[in-house]
Amino acid sequence: MIRSAVIPAVLCLSLAVNTNTAAAATPIPAGQRVKDIRVIGQSVRVDGTVQDRAIVIDGDLTVGPHGKVTDPILIGGRLRVEGGGTVRGDVLHLGTSWPAISPLAMWSLVTLLIALRLAVVWAVVSAASLIARRPLGQDLMASATGQPTRTVLAGALTAFGLLTGCLLLTLTLIGLPVGLALGGLLLAGTASGVSLLLVATDDEAPARRITLVALAVPFFGDALAALATVLGLGAGLRYLADSRPRITSTSRGPAQA
């Protein structure tokens, strides 16, 4: 999962580096040797030799009868190897084709995602504000500060387990409801963690506005939400553990006549 998330960033950085690269619209004829190929949006035919790596995004890679390619990476395209062609190393192939999206549809999708993010942030901060105003907020703060190390460890392990289960279950139609439920638990942990910040501040209104803006910022808000989720889940587990009725056993003496 981490590899699939990092690959696009690495490819974008590699495309920006000025090295010995074949032209995107020019095939590699027989007998020609190039260091690498990095192409976006076009197909490539290799009849020569690619020494290092061939990276093709949103295009097809065809290896001819005399072509030699090492460690090819294809995203949104197809790999065709004709008789006599050679492909060495590992082949990383993500998807076969990407749908053509118009600029209007792209902007609409981006706007929808931004609106959805803001709605989720607003819901989380509103729920955290409600928790902070109730005695539950003070109880969560007491549970979190009582044993902070255990709180963080328990919250981190729980968050990792819930996130893993959510991602795996949402891949199937049967597990989708359970995956959504686990996602709801993660959001509840985020709200609990944000409520700890609101409880710790003297004036809730400014803290609520600052938290709302901070969570809405990409990347920084994601890191802040992850930290709040870990603290909130850990505090919630500690609170549930402390709220359990303690069962004490008493020894019985010999029966008296």
Side-chain angles (χ1 to χ4, degrees), residues 114 117-119 121-122 125 209-222 224-225:
I114 293 175
R117 178 188 179 90
L118 293 177
V121 169
W122 178 84
V125 175
R209 289 193 293 269
I210 293 174
T211 304
L212 186 63
V213 173
L215 289 176
V217 177
F219 300 110
F220 177 78
D222 297 333
L224 183 61

Side-chain angles (χ1 to χ4, degrees), residues 22-172:
T26 303
I28 309 301
Q32 181 177 352
R33 302 173 67 92
V34 297
K35 183 178 181 181
D36 55 22
I37 301 176
R38 291 169 292 183
V39 178
I40 296 179
Q42 296 188 19
S43 299
V44 177
R45 178 182 177 87
V46 178
D47 288 307
T49 301
V50 180
Q51 297 176 349
D52 289 346
R53 171 162 288 180
I55 300 175
V56 181
I57 301 176
D58 195 19
D60 298 335
L61 174 61
T62 302
V63 182
H66 304 286
K68 296 180 181 180
V69 176
T70 303
D71 295 331
I73 296 179
L74 283 90
I75 300 179
R78 292 179 174 85
L79 173 63
R80 300 184 179 92
V81 182
E82 298 179 356
T86 303
V87 177
R88 300 189 181 95
D90 299 328
V91 177
L92 179 59
H93 192 185
L94 302 178
T96 56
S97 62
W98 288 354
I101 302 178
S102 63
L104 178 60
M106 178 63 70
W107 281 112
S108 301
L109 179 60
V110 172
T111 303
L112 179 62
L113 292 177
I114 293 175
L116 180 60
R117 178 188 179 90
L118 293 177
V120 172
V121 169
W122 178 84
V124 168
V125 175
S126 298
S129 180
L130 292 176
I131 296 174
R133 296 172 185 173
R134 297 176 179 271
L136 177 60
Q138 298 293 337
D139 295 337
L140 290 176
M141 176 63 73
S143 300
T145 56
Q147 293 180 333
T149 302
R150 291 186 177 182
T151 299
V152 172
L153 289 177
L157 292 176
T158 305
F160 178 77
L162 290 176
L163 180 60
T164 303
C166 179
L167 294 177
L168 293 178
L169 290 172
T170 50
L171 296 178
T172 61

